[in-house]
């Protein structure tokens, strides 16, 4: 019982370090479980019922909520795992430096904005697809953290600008060289996260 109590206290302490980011990760996991309990991620119609971003559903039926709901859906456990690991790696740091509300704003606006840019690209290219995933928001977090690191002379906590740029490059490269990847959302999320970081980040002043 003592060991369990200590583990519970550690879990609470860990949760409090970045409650918004950890809640987002938990929601993604729970939604994936519910999707699998009620059907399968391999069923496109089932994913659409859960809120995946279908080009025609948004553009013609004006179901704009899909720009947000699609951020919590994933095509498979590997897709989910990759996104959540990166989000845990960079999201905690960004939340600590932005604050809870501003972090939530950057993640949601960056992710939904990335999906919107992807929608415009699909319409322009006459591609009508169904997409889902947190990667737009994840790349927005990476972009926001890159901005903050640059504002802090290339280093903040355990992150350097070089590490983040390498992470962004490798993630983008993997998307470009793979099939079935929404690269527009990746590039768009990264750019939007960086731009959103400009008004949302307030560097702490150190007393002279």
């Amino acid at each position: 019982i003592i060991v369990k109590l200590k583990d519970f206290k550690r879990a609470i302490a860990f949760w409090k370090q970045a409650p918004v980011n950890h809640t987002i990760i938990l929601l993604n996991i729970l939604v994936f479980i519910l999707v699998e309990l009620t059907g399968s991620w391999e069923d496109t119609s089932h994913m659409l019922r859960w809120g995946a971003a279908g080009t025609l559903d948004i553009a013609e039926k004006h179901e704009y909520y899909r720009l947000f709901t699609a951020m919590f859906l994933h095509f498979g456990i590997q897709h989910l795992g990759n996104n959540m690991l990166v989000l845990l790696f960079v999201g905690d740091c960004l939340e600590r430096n932005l604050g809870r509300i501003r972090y939530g704003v950057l993640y949601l606006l960056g992710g939904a904005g990335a999906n919107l840019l992807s929608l415009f690209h699909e319409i322009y290219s006459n591609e009508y697809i169904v997409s889902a995933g947190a990667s737009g928001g994840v790349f927005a977090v990476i972009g926001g953290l890159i901005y903050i690191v640059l504002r802090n002379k290339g280093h903040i906590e355990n992150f350097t600008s070089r590490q983040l740029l390498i992470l962004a490059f490798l993630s983008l490269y993997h998307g470009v060289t793979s099939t079935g990847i929404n690269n527009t959302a990746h590039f768009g999320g990264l750019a939007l996260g960086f731009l959103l970081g400009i008004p949302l980040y307030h560097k702490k002043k150190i007393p002279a």
Side-chain angles (χ1 to χ4, degrees):
I1 297 175
I2 295 175
V3 174
K4 290 183 178 180
L5 181 60
K6 287 182 178 179
D7 291 340
F8 179 74
K9 288 182 178 180
R10 289 196 191 99
I12 294 297
F14 175 73
W15 187 273
K16 287 182 178 179
Q17 290 178 12
V20 174
N21 192 48
H22 296 162
T23 299
I24 290 171
I25 292 171
L26 180 61
L27 283 174
N28 275 275
I29 295 171
L30 288 176
V31 168
F32 182 80
I33 292 172
L34 289 172
V35 168
E36 290 303 289
L37 288 175
T38 56
S40 172
W41 62 267
E42 296 181 355
D43 184 347
T44 303
S45 297
H46 183 62
M47 291 293 283
L48 282 170
R49 285 193 292 273
W50 272 89
T55 308
L56 294 176
D57 296 278
I58 301 173
E60 294 186 358
K61 297 180 182 179
H62 309 293
E63 296 175 353
Y64 303 114
Y65 65 88
R66 293 180 182 275
L67 297 172
F68 291 94
T69 54
M71 296 170 59
F72 296 90
L73 294 163
H74 289 84
F75 291 112
I77 190 70
Q78 184 176 356
H79 186 203
L80 172 71
N82 289 341
N83 278 337
M84 294 305 101
L85 282 174
V86 176
L87 188 59
L88 181 64
F89 181 64
V90 296
D92 284 16
C93 178
L94 184 61
E95 183 176 342
R96 284 193 293 269
N97 286 276
L98 272 187
R100 298 175 183 178
I101 294 177
R102 289 194 293 272
Y103 174 77
V105 168
L106 184 143
Y107 180 83
L108 291 174
L109 289 185
N115 287 338
L116 183 60
L117 291 173
S118 177
L119 174 69
F120 290 151
H121 180 263
E122 290 158 17
I123 295 172
Y124 178 78
S125 305
N126 288 319
E127 296 177 340
Y128 300 99
I129 63 175
V130 175
S131 61
S135 53
V138 172
F139 272 95
V141 170
I142 296 173
L145 195 56
I146 288 174
Y147 171 75
I148 291 177
V149 168
L150 293 176
R151 280 288 307 275
N152 288 273
K153 299 179 180 179
H155 184 274
I156 193 166
E157 294 188 15
N158 295 323
F159 290 96
T160 64
S161 56
R162 181 180 178 182
Q163 290 172 332
L164 288 171
L165 289 172
I166 290 174
L167 173 63
F169 172 78
L170 291 176
S171 299
L172 292 171
Y173 179 78
H174 175 263
V176 171
T177 56
S178 303
T179 57
I181 303 296
N182 192 337
N183 291 299
T184 304
H186 290 186
F187 282 95
L190 186 68
L192 287 171
F194 186 92
L195 293 174
L196 285 167
I198 297 173
L200 291 174
Y201 177 62
H202 304 295
K203 189 174 180 181
K204 295 179 181 179
K205 295 182 179 180
I206 301 175

